[in-house]
Amino acid sequence: MCIIYAGLQVMEKKVVAVVGPQSSGIGHVVSHVADELRIPRASCAATDPTLGSSQYPYFLRATHSDFFQMAAVADIISHYAWREATLIYVDNDYGRAALDALGDHLQSMRSKVSYRAPLPPAADRAAITDLLLRVSMMESRVIVVHANPDSGLDIFAAAQSLGMMSSGYVWIATEWLAALLASDSSPPRKTTALALLQGVVTLRQYTPDSDAKRSLMSRFAARLQAHNTTGGINAYVLFASDAVWMTARAIDQLLVDGSNVSFSDDARLRAENETGSALRLGALKVFDQGEQLLSKMKTLNFTGVTGQVRFGDDRNLADPAYEVLNVGGTGVRRVGYWSNRTRLSVTAPEQEQNGKKKKQQGEELYSVIWPGETASPPRGWVFPNNGKALRIGVPYRTTYKQFVSKDAGGPDGASGYCIDVFKAAVALLAYPVP
């Protein structure tokens, strides 16, 4: 709430553009105000799919929407032929929007989210443990975690204590995890985190290597060293850098074209009584050239540290792509890529788009080391602890007894050709059927 309040106070100072905010929840509140003031904003961290141009006309997403990230998660699930998944998600707009997106993508692949596990934003360890106990009772062993960095590691710590990081489980974490591991400034904490995450698959927004990217990371590392701080740079920092440059370029073009920068009063924003309030609504001004600046930002096309920066018709950053990572040992390794154009692949998106390498059948992902240090993909499900044994009904009176008939003296209570076929089919399964 303090951050929202501070953001509104900044807008009293005749702002022409906003870069941010850092989260989807704050983005909804700030977007309502910015739209009224005609202030374009480029968000480099708000990934909530419901934050879009249809609802907020002055909003541009300078990062990738969770709509595409959930498409990548769904493709991973489909790649291993899993049909059901459990989603643990933070119970707010950010989490619920991702739930809807994942459900839609899985449904198109004849799969589904079989169990929804909402996590309160401020959940403590006891609440997390209780939620995981319910998850462990379910049939699906494919678990997707879409959380915030502050609670995400607590989920895996609780899962390990419950024996849920063992063989047979599948854990897929969204990009919050890769961002946390990249920017963690405490090596002991990072080592502890990696010990909790062995076998986890996670996603990271893909940015191709370039001189500009290496230069920024080098300067960032030098700045950290100068302040005796260790750590790394995550994808959000790279997208933030491009968002700042994008906004600066658009403002420069606006001024070069000879446009003035002016503001107007809006009677709807005047407060009748502002005595004692630090937020002076009457001081908020409408940016007269907001539409022009927005038009400049929408049509930009340049090469930044994240690659080619341009927007689609929906004002989302074009060509979304992710790296598929596998946590193991003392770090993470890349096992493939996902892009909106090429889907899963072991080839970098720009190489496939440029025709440098054509994807061959079976090249979707490299091998993954799963929880329990197993190389074979888990089955993805078990018989639920609260499940019922399979009951088989046979007809009591039949004409063709050679096919099925009551056999009180036999071990199964019935005999015949149909019974033999059924027993042979069950015997071929790789697991027992109670």
Side-chain angles (χ1 to χ4, degrees):
M1 183 61 69
C2 292
I3 298 175
I4 296 172
Y5 194 77
L8 296 178
Q9 283 185 311
V10 169
M11 291 187 185
E12 296 178 2
K13 302 176 181 179
K14 295 184 177 180
V15 173
V16 299
V18 173
V19 176
Q22 288 183 297
S23 70
S24 298
I26 299 173
H28 281 279
V29 177
V30 173
S31 294
H32 283 295
V33 178
D35 281 342
E36 292 296 328
L37 302 179
R38 301 178 194 169
I39 299 175
R41 63 212 168 281
S43 176
C44 51
T47 58
D48 180 352
T50 61
L51 270 169
S53 58
S54 58
Q55 184 179 7
Y56 303 111
Y58 284 82
F59 175 83
L60 295 98
R61 195 191 310 275
T63 185
H64 298 311
S65 167
D66 281 338
F67 176 84
F68 300 107
Q69 181 177 202
M70 291 304 160
V73 171
D75 278 355
I76 293 172
I77 293 173
S78 176
H79 172 71
Y80 292 104
W82 297 317
R83 294 303 179 194
E84 296 185 0
T86 292
L87 178 61
I88 300 175
Y89 61 99
V90 61
D91 195 11
N92 56 20
D93 289 339
Y94 161 76
R96 289 188 291 269
L99 167 67
D100 293 339
L102 179 60
D104 290 343
H105 288 302
L106 286 177
Q107 187 176 22
S108 68
M109 301 173 181
R110 295 188 176 183
S111 300
K112 64 178 180 178
V113 176
S114 58
Y115 186 68
R116 304 178 179 190
L119 184 70
D124 57 15
R125 182 64 176 269
I128 293 173
T129 300
D130 181 65
L131 180 141
L132 288 179
L133 284 172
R134 296 197 302 272
V135 169
S136 69
M137 298 290 289
M138 299 298 113
E139 180 177 320
S140 175
R141 284 294 182 263
V142 180
I143 305 171
V144 180
V145 181
H146 186 62
N148 295 319
D150 54 353
S151 61
L153 287 183
D154 290 337
I155 294 173
F156 286 102
Q160 188 177 67
S161 67
L162 294 172
M164 297 175 66
M165 298 300 297
S166 57
S167 178
Y169 280 90
V170 176
W171 290 89
I172 303 173
T174 52
E175 60 183 341
W176 66 266
L177 179 56
L180 176 68
L181 294 177
S183 60
D184 197 324
S185 59
S186 173
R189 181 172 178 265
K190 187 172 183 177
T191 301
T192 302
L194 289 173
L196 298 172
L197 301 166
Q198 297 297 299
V200 174
V201 172
T202 186
L203 296 173
R204 177 171 62 196
Q205 294 193 64
Y206 174 65
T207 56
D209 288 331
S210 65
D211 291 339
K213 178 180 173 180
R214 286 188 288 269
S215 175
L216 177 63
M217 296 179 71
S218 176
R219 287 181 281 125
F220 188 85
R223 179 64 64 89
L224 290 177
Q225 186 176 9
H227 290 81
N228 294 320
T229 303
T230 58
I233 181 171
N234 62 35
Y236 291 113
V237 177
L238 301 176
F239 283 103
S241 175
D242 279 351
V244 171
W245 279 106
M246 174 189 68
T247 306
R249 285 170 180 262
I251 294 173
D252 183 63
Q253 289 184 11
L254 184 71
L255 298 176
V256 168
D257 289 346
S259 297
N260 295 320
V261 175
S262 59
F263 298 85
S264 302
D265 291 325
D266 190 329
R268 296 174 299 171
L269 299 175
R270 294 176 184 172
E272 295 181 2
N273 185 7
E274 297 178 345
T275 304
S277 174
L279 183 61
R280 299 176 297 116
L281 295 178
L284 297 175
K285 305 289 184 180
V286 175
F287 179 33
D288 296 331
Q289 288 76 36
E291 186 66 35
Q292 295 172 258
L293 180 59
L294 178 67
S295 178
K296 300 288 185 186
M297 296 171 73
K298 289 191 301 181
T299 57
L300 282 174
N301 190 343
F302 68 96
T303 302
V305 295
T306 62
Q308 202 66 22
V309 178
R310 62 184 181 86
F311 291 97
D313 295 336
D314 56 0
R315 300 182 195 169
N316 285 325
L317 200 61
D319 301 327
Y322 296 86
E323 295 174 272
V324 183
L325 307 175
N326 182 205
V327 181
T330 59
V332 298
R333 65 185 183 95
R334 183 171 57 224
V335 296
Y337 303 88
W338 182 94
S339 78
N340 197 38
R341 294 174 180 266
T342 61
R343 317 304 286 189
L344 289 176
S345 174
V346 296
T347 306
E350 71 276 9
Q351 292 182 2
E352 288 195 357
Q353 291 174 18
N354 295 334
K356 294 182 180 179
K357 182 178 179 181
K358 185 177 180 180
K359 183 170 69 176
Q360 301 295 322
Q361 187 175 5
E363 276 195 323
E364 287 85 358
L365 288 177
Y366 290 122
S367 61
V368 172
I369 303 300
W370 303 99
E373 298 184 355
T374 60
S376 299
R379 190 172 70 210
W381 64 274
V382 295
F383 290 104
N385 293 334
N386 58 351
K388 296 180 179 179
L390 184 64
R391 300 177 64 188
I392 308 300
V394 297
Y396 179 72
R397 299 174 63 183
T398 59
T399 302
Y400 301 98
K401 296 185 180 298
Q402 65 269 34
F403 287 98
V404 60
S405 65
K406 181 181 177 181
D407 184 4
D412 302 311
S415 62
Y417 176 74
C418 293
I419 302 300
D420 294 339
V421 170
F422 178 82
K423 291 170 65 177
V426 171
L428 291 174
L429 296 176
Y431 47 86
V433 179

